[in-house]
Amino acid sequence: MSARVTVIGTGYLGATHAACMAEIGHEVLGLDVDPDKVATLRSGRVPFYEPGLEELLAKHVATGRLRFTTSYEEVAEFGEVHFSCVGTPQSPGGNAADLRHVDAVIEHLAPLLAGRNALVVGKSTVPVGTAERLAAMLPEDAELAWNPEFLREGFAVEDTLRPDRLVFGVRSAAAEARLRAVYAPVISHGTPVVVTDFPTAELVKTSANAFLATKISFINAMAEVCEAAGADVALLAEALSHDTRIGGRFLRAGVGFGGGCLPKDIRAFMARAGELGVGQALTFLREVDHINMRRRGRVVDLAREAAGGGFLGRRIAVLGAAFKPDSDDIRDSPALNVAAQIHLQGGNVSVYDPKAMDNARKAFPTLAYAASAEDALSEADVVLHLTEWQEFRDLDPAALRDTVARPYVIDGRNALDAGRWRAAGWTYRALGRP
Ligand SMILES: NC(=O)C1=CN([C@@H]2O[C@H](COP(=O)(O)OP(=O)(O)OC[C@H]3O[C@@H](n4cnc5c(N)ncnc54)[C@H](O)[C@@H]3O)[C@@H](O)[C@H]2O)C=CC1
Ligand SMILES: O=C(O)[C@H]1O[C@H](OP(=O)(O)OP(=O)(O)OC[C@H]2O[C@@H](n3ccc(=O)[nH]c3=O)[C@H](O)[C@@H]2O)[C@H](O)[C@@H](O)[C@@H]1O
């Protein structure tokens, strides 16, 4: 059954959620405080790169089923169910989550909801205890639910329409029934639904990201040991993956995890555990964070060694700027972190990414940017492969042999075909592999 749904905060999560809510049959009104973003979305365009999203969004904007506004009054008047999808970044100068946007949504909405029997659904990633606090800010006849989101950038549409599971943190059977009705077309695919209380729902999200970060840092720790022992972490991971208890996903060793979520979420989780007096339970996440940051330093060290001991006067090509392929998101990108470190140490860095150039230029204006991978490689002394775009895997090492000053590639993602690059006369090095 079609419902009138609003989505507040139309960034990576909210724009995807809004388009997918329209796709499953609802009338949707998206709201953002950024008028430029709203203008772009209204014209049927997506202000960031996410495969398949623009087609979906444009289709529903064209029929009028999906609209956008900057007016909270319009949202309150229109919606029966309001999804809050605003950002929860790391606090400036601290590790805790910055909840000012999450609070602002409720502060704006609460006075407008009295007498409307609305359901407000939090989707942002928040420290446990937030939902209980927000619920107390709503008028009596409005209810809160917590419904964390697990989508991955690059697969956002697919993950929203066919998630691994749905988690509903609710305080009443009525709230559960309303969420089940909104998600009915998704649930009809057999999607498991876990119904629970607020704190468990909030913790499912932060513990899922903590587990994923731990899995990546585990394999990167093995990569450190492999490097010292002359072993091969890629084959080690493959062998581990055949044990179904371990599984093969999220065991790709390399320059480590970045993005707008895993790094800030494990830090916020540690900060919240400290506030709850159980900081000790999560001290292992500090190690997860350390292992991850060490990988960035390791790539810089390997590059310096390859450049002959120092970066002065050396040209370093950096392939990749996004924190992962199929995204233009550069938040806490390992690739740009490495590029910036080398630049600060006197290297002439040339960065190329298929989609993230504009965002990279804004965040790191002092780095040099190339028009293509080949352009970045021109006269390079060392090539760093730091985001595993298909375009980079498709490069022809034989054809590029004479483009560079020295054929030396460091594969920070263990994703290039080592045999092919070596056969074409390149020195190929990867993290955790001989
Ligand atoms: N990006 C992702 O893949 C996923 C993100 N999350 C979580 O979802 C939340 C949102 O993340 P992103 O979409 O990546 O952030 P984002 O920064 O891309 O989007 C947040 C949007 O909220 C808007 N906003 C800020 N204050 C507002 C207000 N008072 N009213 C209305 N709009 C407001 C901003 O202008 C921005 O467009 C975070 O808590 C994040 O941890 C969860 C799962 C996946
Ligand atoms: O909370 C969130 O926002 C989201 O965070 C991650 O999604 P995302 O950040 O989009 O990307 P991932 O695919 O998880 O990759 C994160 C980082 O880990 C790196 N990674 C991933 C996998 C791996 O094996 N090795 C590895 O280094 C990636 O390159 C990337 O930098 C989670 O996978 C989502 O489930 C979650 O919803």
Side-chain angles (χ1 to χ4, degrees):
M1 221 177 50
S2 170
R4 290 192 310 280
V5 166
T6 83
V7 177
I8 301 166
T10 54
Y12 284 92
L13 166 59
T16 307
H17 192 67
C20 290
M21 283 290 119
E23 177 69 8
I24 62 173
H26 300 304
E27 298 288 320
V28 184
L29 181 60
L31 174 146
D32 205 284
V33 286
D34 179 343
D36 294 338
K37 207 169 261 193
V38 168
T40 303
L41 291 163
R42 270 185 182 153
S43 71
R45 284 175 300 128
V46 175
F48 52 89
Y49 176 69
E50 178 63 42
L53 181 57
E54 190 154 284
E55 292 83 331
L56 198 68
L57 185 121
K59 181 173 92 180
H60 295 299
V61 166
T63 64
R65 186 189 278 176
L66 172 57
R67 296 179 300 117
F68 293 93
T69 182
T70 52
S71 159
Y72 269 96
E73 285 77 13
E74 202 182 333
V75 156
E77 215 161 280
F78 174 82
E80 304 164 278
V81 178
H82 305 279
F83 286 98
S84 175
C85 298
V86 294
T88 48
Q90 192 170 330
S91 298
N95 281 338
D98 180 350
L99 295 176
R100 77 181 81 169
H101 305 304
V102 169
D103 287 1
V105 169
I106 304 295
E107 280 157 15
H108 277 107
L109 212 49
L112 303 169
L113 290 184
R116 295 187 185 275
N117 186 33
L119 180 67
V120 179
V121 185
K123 288 197 77 63
S124 307
T125 302
V126 293
V128 60
T130 303
E132 183 178 354
R133 186 172 60 75
L134 298 179
M137 293 161 68
L138 289 177
E140 217 164 84
D141 69 330
E143 198 174 351
L144 187 78
W146 212 261
N147 167 222
E149 177 57 54
F150 302 94
L151 70 80
R152 300 159 296 166
E153 289 178 23
F155 301 90
V157 171
E158 184 186 328
D159 284 351
T160 307
L161 295 174
R162 304 267 173 131
D164 289 340
R165 79 302 216 176
L166 289 166
V167 175
F168 298 162
V170 291
R171 280 183 165 170
S172 75
E176 178 190 341
R178 291 179 83 173
L179 278 171
R180 282 188 184 275
V182 168
Y183 280 107
V186 176
I187 296 171
S188 71
H189 298 303
T191 307
V193 181
V194 179
V195 181
T196 182
D197 49 40
F198 286 170
T200 309
E202 294 167 316
L203 276 173
V204 172
K205 175 63 199 179
T206 38
S207 58
N209 277 2
F211 190 86
L212 294 170
T214 303
K215 212 170 170 191
I216 299 169
S217 277
F218 173 84
I219 201 64
N220 282 332
M222 294 309 110
E224 285 189 36
V225 178
C226 283
E227 272 161 32
D232 185 331
V233 74
L235 289 174
L236 177 112
E238 189 202 325
L240 288 177
S241 76
H242 295 300
D243 185 329
T244 51
R245 293 171 304 174
I246 298 174
R249 296 174 73 188
F250 268 67
L251 280 184
R252 279 178 287 114
V255 66
F257 60 80
C261 291
L262 297 190
K264 67 133 169 100
D265 286 350
I266 59 170
R267 291 171 196 156
F269 199 12
M270 284 186 272
R272 183 62 184 142
E275 287 168 9
L276 292 169
V278 286
Q280 260 179 326
L282 298 187
T283 49
F284 74 95
L285 286 179
R286 192 167 308 284
E287 208 46 53
V288 165
D289 206 349
H290 280 313
I291 292 165
N292 192 52
M293 299 313 275
R294 267 207 306 275
R295 291 286 81 185
R296 301 177 184 190
R298 178 68 182 149
V299 174
V300 175
D301 290 346
L302 282 177
R304 193 186 306 101
E305 195 184 307
F311 290 118
L312 282 178
R314 298 292 186 197
R315 284 183 63 85
I316 315 293
V318 172
L319 296 179
F323 83 104
K324 65 188 277 193
D326 296 318
S327 170
D328 66 353
D329 194 345
I330 53 127
R331 291 180 286 184
D332 202 356
S333 165
L336 286 173
N337 180 301
V338 167
Q341 287 192 52
I342 294 175
H343 171 73
L344 287 173
Q345 292 176 34
N348 297 322
V349 178
S350 182
V351 180
Y352 172 72
D353 187 282
K355 294 286 180 195
M357 297 295 268
D358 289 349
N359 287 340
R361 268 199 197 93
K362 274 182 225 146
F364 291 86
T366 55
L367 296 177
Y369 295 92
S372 64
E374 189 168 32
D375 188 18
L377 262 57
S378 173
E379 295 303 316
D381 295 293
V382 184
V383 177
L384 304 182
H385 175 242
L386 299 181
T387 314
E388 68 277 33
W389 287 91
Q390 186 62 44
E391 180 178 330
F392 301 148
R393 288 205 290 266
D394 290 343
L395 289 174
D396 180 357
L400 293 169
R401 172 76 184 70
D402 296 327
T403 307
V404 292
R406 287 170 63 239
Y408 199 119
V409 63
I410 297 171
D411 185 359
R413 292 293 183 178
N414 278 329
L416 300 175
D417 183 343
R420 194 161 155 248
W421 285 73
R422 284 184 178 137
W426 287 71
T427 301
Y428 171 95
R429 288 198 73 179
L431 295 153
R433 303 182 75 180

